[in-house]
Amino acid sequence: SFAAAAYLEQTKFKDTGKKVYIIGEVGICEELDLIDVPYIGGPADSNKQPDMGSGGMLEVDEDVGAVVVGFDRNVNYYKIQYAQLCINEHDAQFIATNLDAVTHLTDAQEWAGNGSMVGAIKGCTGQEPLVVGKPSPLMIDYLENKYGMDRSRICMVGDRLDTDVLFGTDNGLKSLLVLSGVTSEEKLLSPENSITPDFYADTINAFLPHRPPQRKLRCSEI
């Protein structure tokens, strides 16, 4: 959500006078509110259904200049059709917050991630999205330019090799992988894995001084 808003702010999308169509949840709406970019869709379209009777069609707002696709537990056919019309017929930008294949909504199993929502729009438009989330450099470039942050003093902490750790290694940050999410130690140390963090730990609790120390080793020392 933050990355999408940062991209729109950097590219001065507000100055175009266009709107954003959202496939996603309230977080994207809140981020766009912070930069005064108008939007439609999102949670407001969760229960809508297009008219698919004889002669039925879905009218779209011609002022939509970008479609932002984020994780949406209420994605539906209306939203998919609206997005493809904006992109295919009105040349709206196709922006994805991330391409995560799966996510953890409960501790019982993995759930389809934002990549499934993005894939639906890719399938009906034939277009590749601009991915603004990790491992894209957009977020760190934005923070560095806006707040004068020194990226060499930043450590990226996350549970995914192909997004979190890659974001760190590709963009001049330190990286620390936690094993409490989608990546197991077996996968990390597998010969097939080519993405290596600077450090890894069992959980984020390793950072809490009142907790017993957790395993925290340099992967290069393994």
Side-chain angles (χ1 to χ4, degrees):
S1 301
F2 168 79
Y7 168 75
L8 293 170
E9 184 177 16
Q10 281 184 320
T11 57
K12 302 186 184 303
F13 181 85
K14 181 181 176 181
D15 295 346
T16 68
K18 296 286 189 177
K19 302 174 185 175
V20 172
Y21 183 73
I22 297 172
I23 293 179
E25 300 186 359
V26 67
I28 298 176
C29 303
E30 292 173 344
E31 291 291 344
L32 296 187
D33 283 337
L34 290 174
I35 60 171
D36 290 327
V37 168
Y39 59 84
I40 56 176
D45 286 354
S46 294
N47 296 314
K48 292 184 179 180
Q49 297 182 357
D51 177 7
M52 292 182 284
S54 178
M57 60 185 298
L58 181 58
E59 298 284 352
V60 302
D61 189 329
E62 295 185 4
D63 286 333
V64 172
V67 173
V68 173
V69 183
F71 182 69
D72 191 336
R73 282 167 283 199
N74 294 298
V75 67
N76 57 30
Y77 191 69
Y78 181 96
K79 295 180 183 182
I80 294 170
Q81 173 66 355
Y82 205 107
Q84 78 86 8
L85 289 171
C86 291
I87 294 168
N88 284 341
E89 297 189 3
H90 299 287
D91 297 321
Q93 296 181 70
F94 176 16
I95 300 169
T97 59
N98 66 73
L99 299 177
D100 292 350
V102 296
T103 189
H104 282 81
L105 301 179
T106 71
D107 59 3
Q109 60 186 187
E110 292 183 336
W111 297 78
N114 193 52
S116 61
M117 291 81 183
V118 176
I121 307 306
K122 286 174 59 176
C124 60
T125 63
Q127 296 193 31
E128 292 291 329
L130 172 67
V131 182
V132 294
K134 301 167 292 189
S136 165
L138 185 141
M139 282 193 292
I140 189 61
D141 290 345
Y142 175 85
L143 293 171
E144 192 172 50
N145 293 332
K146 187 163 185 174
Y147 299 108
M149 300 178 71
D150 180 357
R151 69 177 63 196
S152 69
R153 300 186 63 192
I154 297 173
C155 182
M156 177 64 206
V157 180
D159 69 331
R160 295 176 183 271
L161 289 167
D162 59 348
T163 55
D164 301 321
V165 173
L166 196 60
F167 176 73
T169 58
D170 281 0
N171 295 298
L173 317 177
K174 294 295 184 183
S175 60
L176 187 149
L177 178 77
V178 290
L179 302 176
S180 53
V182 301
T183 306
S184 66
E185 187 172 35
E186 180 181 6
K187 180 177 180 180
L188 169 64
L189 301 179
S190 167
E192 286 75 37
N193 174 43
S194 60
I195 304 171
T196 304
D198 293 289
F199 311 95
Y200 76 97
D202 286 334
T203 72
I204 199 71
N205 290 334
F207 293 90
L208 303 177
H210 65 280
R211 300 268 184 171
Q214 302 283 324
R215 179 176 66 251
K216 186 165 53 176
L217 302 173
R218 275 194 178 273
C219 288
S220 59
E221 296 175 353
I222 299 171

